[in-house]
Amino acid sequence: MTVQEKLGQLQQLTWTGDTGPGGGQTAETEAAARAGRLGSVLNIHGARNTNALQRIAVEESRLGIPLLFGLDVIHGFWTTFPIPLAQAASFDPEVSRRDAEVSAAETRAAGVRWTFSPMMDVTHEPRWGRIAEGSGEDPYLNAAFAVAKVEGYQGPADGSRLAADDRIAACAKHFVAYGGAEGGRDYNTVDVSEQRLRNHYLPPFKAAVDAGVATVMAAFNTVSGVPAHGNAHTMRTVLKDEWDFGGFVVSDYTGVEELIAHGFAEDGADAAALALTSGLDMEMVSTHFVDHGEALLDAGLITIEHVDEAVARILALKHALGLFADPYSDESAETTEPTAAARTAARETAARSMVLLKNEAAALPLDPATGSVAVVGPFADSTDLHGTWAGPGSHRFPSVSVLDAVRETAPAARVTHADADPARAAAAAREADVTVVVVGEDPALSGEAAVRSDIGLPAGQEELIAAVAATGTPYVVVLVNGRPLALGGWLDTAPAVLEAWHPGIEAGHAVADVLFGTVNPGGKLPVTFPRATGQIPVYYNHESTGRPYNPAHPDEKYVSRYLDLAEGPRLPFGHGLSYTTFATSDPVLSRDDITRAELEQGETVDVTVTVTNTGERAGDEVVQVYVHDVAASIAQPVRRLRGFARVTLEPGASTTVAFPLGAEDLGFWTNDPAGTFLVERGRVDVYAGTSSTAEARRTLRVL
Ligand code: GLC
């Protein structure tokens, strides 16, 4: 390979469409492919399109190295599954594995062998639109869902299935701490201690690397002053050296170029040198590696070893994907729409992801034999509930509306519709036996560069709810949204509220399945819902502070609280109700103490919890186990999720779930930049229950 050909492998250009500034490089892309100065292309799909471009690279360039095609398949290609935040609410990573497997098959058939997914950015920032794309505020939950997605896309960690015609390479993003952007403003500054970086933001990425993730994408933000695209500590020291990551790191869209705007690089050449020497391997859309690489080599500002390392990593993945053996896709095998089975998977996943926030006097489930149902609100008849970062299918296949699904589910009922106008909605409600109010966020308010300074219900929706409530007709509220919302006073009076998120292609069917009880909701909140925007950040895994609020002394002035807001979240992490009831036992520990030596040898303490369905119908409960190291050399979160299990129980049935607690559950990373993980002696409180507010506790002593 010539130097130019080597540098060409480090270049990714976009085809059409823009998922970042500029966009649409079709002509440059074809020319670069023909010249052998291109390694990868994003935003292209369709076997005919990919084969045509692949033929240029393989048959017209000197070496004929095949191109790697990538696309953002975040929660579906033809079949749009619920947004990832919704999937996290299922507390069942298997739903994400199912999404990834269906998506991989559809994507591969469309000529694309690489997705820029899963996103695993832990965040406490509901103003940040990209909270929709990840698995919420907890590292452990994010890690579980990241692994399920990586395995679902790629197959087993050894990469043995990557060349199969229903598997694609995954991408752990965004490396790292993107979810910590100040003010929740996208691309904004992240200043984070080493301990919080390692205890909070890095764990999902480590889990993805251990699951064999093929690639990692750098994040747009700085990490304590050093942009992630030029951060040797995170990309080289942690990812490539400490974790021995064998895949490659791709920039985000023009992320190398943006080192200049960060005030970190003087110019394009400087940006290329800083990025490449810090461990970045492939440049997305901007072209500084190719433009300046030879001069940088001549000037000794980069070495050929830097270039060769990146080339080797990229070619290794192309080989593992079978691109050298078979660079083309079978156009006859291409699918053009969701299969019935895929739609069923999407529908089941969406229903499993929904969270019953409130249900007084069994307002839900509704009776399919109800005489008349009014379905009102701005999203009552919406066919655009796929959510942010929905794939090509969202442009071709409308999501099923709630209105249509209610009509299907209650065929004998008189089902009426009214839009967002309060008067019209009230008029419809007055004529109905029950009203379903569908409010929330347009998907355009969610996702990248979609940050809200006020996370209340959008204008007019609270008035709509109030107008319906004033009619006296029984009503239930369905929320369709891509982030936690600051829910107003209406939450205190609404009889029932279902959090449906943005549920994807089968949105309406899944909502109706839950509303009418075909599915008993069992989801839990993967993010805290604040009382007000001004309360942000508010999250369950917070530090105690030296002056924590004590509910036993609510009037104590000198504590960490707001003068004008009640203490604590509106709805806590892990919260979610069911149409039945459950009882959970206190946690039982297999032993009351364990030495650090035993933990270092892999010994564990088993926490067992027995859960019983004490109601009248089958249902799911999510048993959760949290730990709190009450005195440590780094102040620990008051709760850390270290185990969860969603169980299905018939009325009266019980089951006992066991969670092993080992060193990784009882220790923590320190502020040592070289990475020091400590398990300290002392008391660890172990909580178990059905939300982060669980009070049942046992004490474990680490000796
Ligand atoms: C976007 C996103 C990233 C995505 C990439 C390619 O800016 O930050 O998540 O994968 O560009 O579309």
Side-chain angles (χ1 to χ4, degrees), residues 19-20 42-43 72 116 130 133 173-174 178 217 220 252-253 284 389 448:
T19 48
L42 79 147
N43 292 339
D72 293 285
F116 308 126
R130 303 198 79 165
E133 295 175 53
K173 71 183 188 183
H174 304 81
Y178 187 16
M217 182 183 290
F220 284 124
D252 203 334
Y253 201 104
M284 182 189 285
W389 285 109
E448 184 172 355

Side-chain angles (χ1 to χ4, degrees), residues 16 228 237 513 589 613:
T16 60
T237 306
D513 286 345
L589 303 184
N613 181 341

Side-chain angles (χ1 to χ4, degrees), residues 45-417:
H45 62 83
R48 186 187 310 272
N49 296 328
T50 58
N51 283 343
L53 187 54
Q54 191 69 286
R55 261 190 289 282
I56 294 174
V58 170
E59 297 169 21
E60 297 185 38
S61 74
R62 186 176 79 88
L63 294 176
I65 298 174
L67 299 170
L68 173 57
F69 298 118
L71 187 69
D72 293 285
V73 183
I74 310 302
H75 53 107
F77 185 85
W78 291 135
T79 310
T80 309
F81 283 77
I83 56 172
L85 186 63
Q87 294 186 28
S90 72
F91 275 68
D92 174 13
E94 288 311 297
V95 307
S96 288
R97 184 189 305 275
R98 203 173 180 197
D99 163 356
E101 290 177 343
V102 170
S103 300
E106 293 179 351
T107 304
R108 186 72 184 244
V112 176
R113 301 196 195 192
W114 179 26
T115 177
F116 308 126
S117 175
M119 187 269 222
M120 53 194 77
D121 300 320
V122 177
T123 187
H124 294 150
E125 261 298 347
R127 290 171 289 187
W128 188 48
R130 303 198 79 165
I131 194 170
E133 295 175 53
S135 299
E137 70 193 43
D138 179 79
Y140 186 83
L141 193 68
N142 265 277
F145 278 84
V147 169
K149 272 262 168 104
V150 167
E151 293 176 348
Y153 289 130
Q154 299 189 165
D158 63 6
S160 58
R161 297 274 297 129
L162 261 180
D165 62 5
D166 59 354
R167 298 291 184 180
I168 54 178
C171 182
K173 71 183 188 183
H174 304 81
F175 198 70
V176 64
Y178 187 16
E182 281 181 5
R185 230 173 51 240
D186 213 344
Y187 320 120
N188 205 7
T189 302
V190 175
D191 203 72
V192 60
S193 64
E194 187 72 18
Q195 70 91 4
R196 183 161 279 213
L197 188 68
R198 287 179 176 270
N199 290 308
H200 196 78
Y201 293 108
L202 285 170
F205 290 91
K206 178 63 167 57
V209 168
D210 291 345
V213 71
T215 65
V216 167
M217 182 183 290
F220 284 124
N221 52 283
T222 54
V223 182
S224 304
V226 181
H229 279 72
N231 197 309
H233 176 62
T234 53
M235 288 191 290
R236 191 165 294 289
T237 306
V238 175
L239 179 66
K240 291 184 172 180
D241 294 349
E242 261 184 58
W243 297 353
D244 193 24
F245 172 62
F248 70 83
V249 181
V250 63
S251 83
D252 203 334
Y253 201 104
T254 65
V256 172
E257 166 96 6
E258 292 169 20
L259 292 177
I260 302 167
H262 271 296
F264 184 72
E266 290 283 342
D267 53 27
D270 194 23
L274 287 165
L276 191 64
T277 55
S278 302
L280 196 102
D281 300 301
M282 181 181 278
E283 181 174 6
M284 182 189 285
V285 175
S286 55
T287 58
H288 298 299
F289 284 10
V290 166
D291 294 347
H292 305 289
E294 281 185 283
L296 290 169
L297 283 166
D298 293 346
L301 295 174
I302 62 173
T303 67
I304 196 61
E305 288 73 25
H306 287 127
V307 175
D308 288 348
E309 178 207 339
V311 173
R313 289 170 180 264
I314 291 163
L315 296 184
L317 179 57
K318 291 185 175 183
H319 179 265
L321 284 165
L323 277 168
F324 285 102
D326 180 8
Y328 301 112
S329 296
D330 177 359
E331 292 175 29
S332 69
E334 187 159 15
T335 60
T336 57
E337 62 181 342
T339 63
R343 276 187 173 270
T344 299
R347 177 171 180 166
E348 290 173 351
T349 298
R352 199 162 174 78
S353 303
M354 292 181 188
V355 183
L356 184 60
L357 300 181
K358 186 180 179 188
N359 189 28
E360 279 176 3
L364 285 175
L366 303 179
D367 179 352
T370 302
S372 56
V373 182
V375 184
V376 305
F379 301 103
D381 62 343
S382 171
T383 58
D384 177 22
L385 295 178
H386 304 84
T388 187
W389 285 109
S394 63
H395 309 305
R396 280 201 200 170
F397 309 106
S399 59
V400 176
S401 74
V402 173
L403 178 62
D404 287 349
V406 168
R407 285 187 166 133
E408 283 175 38
T409 309
R414 184 169 63 84
V415 179
T416 59
H417 168 243

